[in-house]
Amino acid sequence: MPFITLTNTAEGFRGNKIVINTDAIVTVHTHVQTNEDGSIESKTMLYCPPHGNWEVAESVEKVTEALNKLTKPTK
């Protein structure tokens, strides 16, 4: 089972590295939120049921690129 290392952006864990089993990732999408201070933040959300969502700093494109590298067939 392949794993991917990303940067957590969830409150209380911001900046910590997180290692996720790529077999558990169902969807990847961008979420834009307004913070308490009025600033706007874009996060990438990885949905991994039944555990829920992981919020990461890497863009959807970077996550997709990393996932595709792991799933490319070898010759």
Side-chain angles (χ1 to χ4, degrees):
M1 84 183 76
F3 290 86
I4 186 172
T5 303
L6 300 167
T7 309
N8 200 330
T9 60
E11 201 59 44
F13 301 98
R14 189 176 303 273
N16 293 332
K17 292 297 181 184
I18 183 169
V19 180
I20 298 173
N21 176 349
T22 59
D23 291 338
I25 299 171
V26 174
T27 61
V28 178
H29 69 278
T30 302
H31 172 72
V32 178
Q33 71 179 35
T34 302
N35 296 320
E36 288 183 17
D37 65 1
S39 63
I40 296 175
E41 184 176 13
S42 178
K43 298 179 178 188
T44 300
M45 306 295 285
L46 285 72
Y47 179 57
C48 305
H51 309 293
N53 289 308
W54 292 101
E55 303 174 11
V56 299
E58 291 76 11
S59 68
V60 168
E61 293 79 16
K62 290 287 184 187
V63 172
T64 302
E65 180 181 317
L67 291 172
N68 284 338
K69 283 181 184 177
L70 293 172
T71 59
K72 279 191 175 179
T74 56
K75 293 183 179 184

